[in-house]
Amino acid sequence: MLTKQMIRDGLQYYRWETNYPLHTNAESMGDFIADHLPDDFEIIEINMNQIVVNMDGNKYEITAYGIGDFCNHEVSIYLLKTN
């Protein structure tokens, strides 16, 4: 699971694997939100495979996509605005 400390330490890419195929980037994002995004992140905006979250007053853009097949996934994490 992604943690706040991972983001504070500068993590820009988070990868995970599923035992079942996710056929679209939007499905990858749904899986990320359900199983990998910490509960205390506030989702401000959702747009298919992209979300904007609030983490302790800082806003981050997170974009999900596949990496090579339907069972390996990645999100990129970029700081949009600091508090």
Side-chain angles (χ1 to χ4, degrees):
M1 175 177 279
L2 183 69
T3 66
K4 287 182 178 183
Q5 191 59 50
M6 293 165 77
I7 292 175
R8 285 187 194 110
D9 289 343
L11 179 76
Q12 291 184 323
Y13 300 97
Y14 175 81
R15 292 182 177 177
W16 76 100
E17 186 175 341
T18 55
N19 293 326
Y20 45 87
L22 300 175
H23 297 286
T24 68
N25 292 335
E27 287 179 352
S28 294
M29 179 53 76
D31 186 76
F32 173 77
I33 291 169
D35 296 333
H36 300 274
L37 186 69
D39 292 336
D40 57 349
F41 280 44
E42 175 190 4
I43 298 175
I44 299 169
E45 187 178 320
I46 299 176
N47 186 8
M48 302 290 289
N49 69 315
Q50 192 172 69
I51 60 175
V52 175
V53 299
N54 180 340
M55 182 187 92
D56 300 332
N58 296 325
K59 292 183 182 179
Y60 292 87
E61 177 183 275
I62 301 176
T63 304
Y65 43 91
I67 50 169
D69 62 35
F70 294 116
C71 293
N72 289 282
H73 320 281
E74 182 173 271
V75 294
S76 58
I77 304 162
Y78 294 102
L79 178 64
L80 292 177
K81 182 179 176 185
T82 59
N83 120 16

